[in-house]
Amino acid sequence: MELPVSVQQALGETAAGVSLRDASTASRKELLRMALLTDEQGNLQVICRKDDLIDLEQLNKQLGRDFRLMKRREQVRVRERTGLKALPALPSLTGWPTLVDKRVDELSAVALELGEQNLAMVMPAEDFQALTANADRCSLAVALESISVNYDDHDKDRDQFHSAIKKFTGLRIKQRLVDTLELPPLPETAQRIIHLRVNPNAVMGDLVDIVESDPSLAAQVVSWASSSFYAAAGQVKSVHDAVSRVLGFDLVMNLAMGLSLGRALKQPQDHPEGYVDYWQQAIWQAQSAGILASMMPRGERPVFGLAYLGGLLHNFGLLVLAQVFPPHFKLVCRSLEVNADIDSSVTEHYLLGITREQIAAQLMENWGMPDEVTLAIRYQKNPSYEGHHSVYARLLWLGRQLLTARGVALGAGGDVSQSVYDELGLNREQVEEQFDELVNNKDSVMAMAGMMSQ
């Protein structure tokens, strides 16, 4: 394959020393990425190793600027001007001021992803240094191996939480935190549902009474049952009808729980551009967890309702972050945008010393939520977790990978080995087909998420 004309022009005489290879075979340590930043004063492009985390906060402090990732529509225009699907790390493609991370100059060779047919250009480091001779050098990124995220030890979470609080207190954050996180108590509806869950004599009428006592919740349950996603025969006229004929006792109980908790905290005004919003993420993950749980062998299958509730609340920590650490939530959002291929847990641990999963799990534990849900939320980013109720966490992890692979913007994704399916007793081809169908039904999922946010 010939290099695109714009790339040939950007390479100039160094084009002769470039070799093309499949991007998947290029050394991860040699791969570079270029992020397009902007603020009111102008544009900037920064280049670093692909797997390094760009420290946007420190970069802005060094430069005295307020850069953030360029809006997606503006990036599309830049790519259209160059005729490329993705911009390789070649500064002359735009001609903007450029910063190169110092670690890049320590490499013996570099690989620049083209985005065309999944190819990468590999060249000697000397050639790349010549191409970026006019760029400034500085330390703008952090190696991921230097960021140690606690994925495994639940007992350390409280210590890390208090450590993070002390760190922020030192930074004069106004909001004072205590063990209860100074968050609202568990909503009354959720409290009543938890009591109902552990009552062996509970009947459908008990649940209907709880839901009907909250007019807004009742309206949402009826709207949910009436949605095209469930294609109920005839009109759904009441909560009783929704429970008995369409959704079922277990689903309504967990749906009501997720709704009441989601409404306990305010939806953040800010959010990372390029990600789907809170309730869309909740519905995607709830549906995917439910599908996966239903497809597992009958004797090994987890409780559907708890898997569904884990998915519905999987991102609850985002709401907690926004309320508990408001001065730093904006930093998290901007960093997630500029480090889209790095998992949010890494970014949050670097910036805050704790992750949304740790915070949410601690709160769920304080509230007395089922262990299955608490541990699913806590370990959803760790596919190798083998502790109590690990199947719930693994379903959330697998669902996330399957959705991101199909273009649902939930954050960084990754490859799934056959062993994950084997351990869960799942048929890979059948799962892939079900998820293709789920994503093809995107409009219904969006409609359901819209009902949740009303």
Side-chain angles (χ1 to χ4, degrees):
M1 172 187 171
E2 281 193 3
L3 291 171
V5 174
S6 59
V7 174
Q8 291 185 39
Q9 292 173 344
L11 289 171
E13 296 179 358
T14 61
V18 170
S19 63
L20 284 176
R21 67 179 65 170
D22 189 307
S24 63
T25 64
S27 169
R28 293 289 301 184
K29 294 181 179 179
E30 295 176 350
L31 282 170
L32 304 184
R33 66 182 175 108
M34 183 166 73
L36 306 183
L37 310 181
T38 189
D39 69 0
E40 293 181 353
Q41 300 179 48
N43 300 325
L44 175 73
Q45 49 200 1
V46 298
I47 297 173
C48 67
R49 299 185 304 181
K50 183 175 181 179
D51 285 344
D52 286 353
L53 185 148
I54 296 173
D55 190 336
L56 192 61
E57 179 187 14
Q58 288 301 317
L59 179 64
N60 281 329
K61 286 181 179 179
Q62 289 181 44
L63 302 179
R65 301 283 290 271
D66 189 25
F67 284 114
R68 62 175 292 173
L69 188 69
M70 182 175 287
K71 297 287 187 183
R72 182 167 295 188
R73 62 179 179 273
E74 295 299 328
Q75 294 196 47
V76 169
R77 289 175 186 152
V78 174
R79 292 197 296 270
E80 288 175 344
R81 287 199 294 268
T82 62
L84 299 172
K85 294 180 181 178
L87 289 183
L90 291 171
S92 59
L93 287 171
T94 66
W96 297 339
T98 305
L99 286 179
V100 178
D101 185 62
K102 288 181 177 180
R103 286 189 180 83
V104 172
D105 290 338
E106 298 172 2
L107 301 173
S108 58
V110 299
L112 314 182
E113 291 180 290
L114 272 175
E116 314 293 318
Q117 299 180 21
N118 196 36
L119 292 174
M121 302 180 294
V122 180
M123 68 179 73
E126 296 79 15
D127 288 353
F128 184 75
Q129 289 165 14
L131 288 171
T132 57
N134 294 327
D136 291 327
R137 262 68 179 174
C138 70
S139 296
L140 60 89
V142 180
L144 291 192
E145 54 264 27
S146 68
I147 305 172
S148 178
V149 182
N150 172 27
Y151 286 120
D152 300 309
D153 193 343
H154 186 56
D155 293 335
K156 290 183 180 179
D157 287 353
R158 187 173 290 275
D159 291 339
Q160 288 198 355
F161 184 80
H162 286 297
S163 176
I165 292 172
K166 290 177 182 177
K167 173 183 175 182
F168 294 138
T169 301
L171 292 172
R172 296 184 181 179
I173 288 183
K174 294 180 181 179
Q175 185 169 354
R176 183 176 176 273
L177 301 172
V178 293
D179 286 349
T180 58
L181 317 188
E182 290 193 354
L183 288 170
L186 182 64
E188 182 182 356
T189 299
Q191 291 182 45
R192 295 175 66 188
I193 292 173
I194 286 180
H195 293 151
L196 185 66
R197 179 188 296 280
V198 298
N199 180 1
N201 300 315
V203 296
M204 185 175 66
D206 298 325
L207 177 60
V208 171
D209 288 344
I210 292 173
V211 174
E212 287 183 337
S213 69
D214 184 331
S216 174
L217 178 59
Q220 287 179 306
V221 168
V222 172
S223 296
W224 187 284
S226 302
S227 71
S228 59
F229 196 88
Y230 289 100
Q235 187 177 3
V236 180
K237 298 180 180 180
S238 66
V239 173
H240 184 279
D241 199 16
V243 177
S244 63
R245 191 167 60 83
V246 184
L247 301 176
F249 182 91
D250 198 35
L251 181 56
V252 171
M253 182 164 59
N254 291 294
L255 173 63
M257 176 85 75
L259 275 166
S260 63
L261 292 185
R263 294 187 320 194
L265 301 179
K266 295 179 181 179
Q267 297 289 312
Q269 296 299 308
D270 199 356
H271 70 277
E273 185 183 12
Y275 290 66
V276 299
D277 68 23
Y278 174 81
W279 281 116
Q280 288 181 33
Q281 290 201 33
I283 299 303
W284 279 118
Q285 279 283 57
Q287 293 293 337
S288 67
I291 288 172
L292 292 171
S294 299
M295 296 183 74
M296 288 181 62
R298 191 170 298 275
E300 303 170 25
R301 192 177 299 169
V303 178
F304 174 89
L306 292 175
Y308 191 94
L309 182 57
L312 203 58
L313 294 173
H314 84 281
N315 202 29
F316 190 73
L318 179 76
L319 302 185
V320 184
L321 272 179
Q323 181 153 328
V324 174
F325 301 128
H328 284 68
F329 182 68
K330 177 181 177 181
L331 297 179
V332 170
C333 291
R334 301 294 79 80
S335 188
L336 290 176
E337 292 168 349
V338 80
N339 296 294
D341 291 331
I342 296 175
D343 191 83
S344 63
S345 61
V346 177
T347 300
E348 290 160 5
H349 183 80
Y350 176 72
L351 292 174
L352 309 176
I354 196 167
T355 70
R356 70 182 71 177
E357 290 80 27
Q358 288 176 286
I359 294 177
Q362 185 64 65
L363 184 58
M364 295 292 166
E365 187 176 298
N366 290 354
W367 279 348
M369 290 289 285
D371 287 346
E372 293 89 340
V373 175
T374 298
L375 294 171
I377 292 171
R378 171 63 182 88
Y379 296 110
Q380 62 181 291
K381 298 294 183 68
N382 180 10
S384 61
Y385 169 64
E386 295 181 352
H388 295 302
H389 308 301
S390 60
V391 64
Y392 293 93
R394 203 158 299 176
L395 291 183
L396 292 187
W397 182 88
L398 177 56
R400 183 184 187 86
Q401 312 316 312
L402 291 165
L403 290 169
T404 54
R406 286 159 176 75
V408 180
L410 302 177
D415 297 329
V416 181
S417 68
Q418 181 60 40
S419 63
V420 175
Y421 293 94
D422 294 341
E423 290 168 4
L424 292 170
L426 294 169
N427 180 294
R428 185 169 195 150
E429 290 72 23
Q430 292 177 0
V431 169
E432 297 272 357
E433 289 177 6
Q434 286 292 314
F435 272 76
D436 287 341
E437 184 177 336
L438 175 63
V439 174
N440 287 336
N441 204 15
K442 178 180 178 180
D443 289 344
S444 294
V445 173
M446 295 299 99
M448 294 163 74
M451 296 174 200
M452 302 287 272
S453 59
Q454 290 174 359

